[in-house]
Amino acid sequence: MSLRHLVISATVSVAVLAIVASAARAETIKVGVTPGPHAQILEAVKPIAAKNGLDIQIVEFTDYVVPNAALDAGDLQANSFQNQPYLDNQNADRGYKIESVGLTVNFPMGVYSAKYKSWDAVPQGATLSIPNDPTNGGRVLLLLQDKGVLKLKPGVGFKPTVADIVENPKKFNIVEVDAAQTARTLDDVDVAAINTNYATQAGLDPVKDAILREDPKGPYANLIAVRSADKDKPWVRILVESYHTAEVRDFVLTKFKGAVLPTW
């Protein structure tokens, strides 16, 4: 074999080895999300992570309960759908060892109505549907208290319940339903408090259609969660850094036009 052929052969071999080594370094993880913005944002994160050797497989769940159960069971490596008060509640109730590794976006809670064009038009004795989990239902009750609609017991923190209402001067009838079903109650109630991801799925515009909206500041920023045992693994850093990029920020601001806000 000539020297030229030896050089070419060696070059090809090095290239092949580099490809094999790169493939060996690439890691695949499954990340659980809810449909809508969380899934759409992670689709924008995916090619950025891929450039850094991390293959993200997106798994969608239609409720807020299963993603943490799946993460705890090892069926997922991470999830991106919840805020810290909700995660704290799940850990306390179910004994999960799951923790936040980075903030993502905020979805200000909105109150919607198919019957009334403004909050001031909602009459006394109206029926209001709210999510039945302590975190999201509590957000609505705190929102209503902030707007002077009702009063809660002092010191209820971030997870008040209907039982904590001490004053309800407009005599609202509050109905608790699964968060994923709140949008479907719009035709049956006077007003419904709906999380942004479920509102957008139902064709609602959280900026234009909400007749009452939560202040985007506060503890309800969403997060990326992993099992505590995995928090220091290299792929976690790649996942978070890929999310916290200017490209993803621009995508969120352009795509959702204020309905979803970056928190990094």
Side-chain angles (χ1 to χ4, degrees):
M1 182 179 291
S2 69
L3 178 60
R4 179 173 177 273
H5 287 149
L6 285 172
V7 171
I8 293 173
S9 177
T11 302
V12 171
S13 296
V14 169
V16 170
L17 287 173
I19 293 170
V20 171
S22 176
R25 287 196 301 270
E27 187 165 3
T28 299
I29 62 168
K30 292 182 179 179
V31 182
V33 296
T34 45
H38 280 303
Q40 292 169 302
I41 296 169
L42 206 60
E43 287 286 359
V45 174
K46 188 172 180 176
I48 299 170
K51 292 178 182 177
N52 294 304
L54 186 64
D55 176 28
I56 298 175
Q57 294 184 359
I58 300 170
V59 183
E60 294 190 12
F61 296 88
T62 57
D63 68 17
Y64 290 158
V65 178
V66 181
N68 279 332
L71 178 57
D72 179 71
D75 297 327
L76 303 172
Q77 281 67 57
N79 63 41
S80 176
F81 79 100
Q82 64 192 320
N83 55 48
Q84 190 67 54
Y86 184 83
L87 175 58
D88 290 343
N89 189 66
Q90 287 265 292
N91 283 340
D93 286 353
R94 299 169 185 263
Y96 297 150
K97 293 182 179 179
I98 298 172
E99 58 187 89
S100 169
V101 291
L103 297 179
T104 57
V105 291
N106 201 350
F107 296 73
M109 178 77 76
V111 176
Y112 302 81
S113 177
K115 300 177 182 178
Y116 305 102
K117 298 296 184 182
S118 70
W119 177 254
D120 291 340
V122 178
Q124 184 161 325
T127 298
L128 168 64
S129 64
I130 69 171
N132 63 1
D133 63 270
T135 301
N136 289 295
R139 287 176 72 174
V140 181
L141 296 178
L142 289 170
L143 170 60
L144 294 177
Q145 177 170 255
D146 289 343
K147 299 300 180 182
V149 176
L150 50 78
K151 187 174 181 180
L152 302 168
K153 292 177 185 176
V156 292
F158 296 123
K159 295 185 289 186
T161 68
V162 173
D164 294 319
I165 298 173
V166 292
E167 293 181 20
N168 182 8
K170 297 196 75 170
K171 295 182 171 55
F172 282 148
N173 175 33
I174 299 176
V175 179
E176 297 176 284
V177 301
D178 184 83
Q181 304 302 317
T182 48
R184 298 181 184 180
T185 68
L186 271 174
D187 291 335
D188 302 315
V189 299
D190 295 297
V191 289
I194 309 171
N195 291 83
T196 296
N197 58 311
Y198 294 129
T200 55
Q201 284 180 56
L204 297 167
D205 183 325
V207 176
K208 297 178 181 178
D209 295 334
I211 61 173
L212 201 61
R213 197 167 184 232
E214 183 181 59
D215 190 315
K217 300 176 183 178
Y220 299 113
N222 283 244
L223 53 88
I224 296 170
V226 303
R227 289 185 295 278
S228 298
D230 292 339
K231 67 178 183 178
D232 295 320
K233 291 185 176 178
W235 62 260
V236 174
R237 177 182 56 79
I238 296 172
L239 173 60
V240 174
E241 289 181 356
S242 298
Y243 204 116
H244 291 176
T245 56
E247 295 97 318
V248 174
R249 173 186 287 273
D250 290 344
F251 172 81
V252 171
L253 293 174
T254 302
K255 176 71 175 177
F256 303 110
K257 298 178 175 61
V260 183
L261 303 172
T263 59
W264 72 95

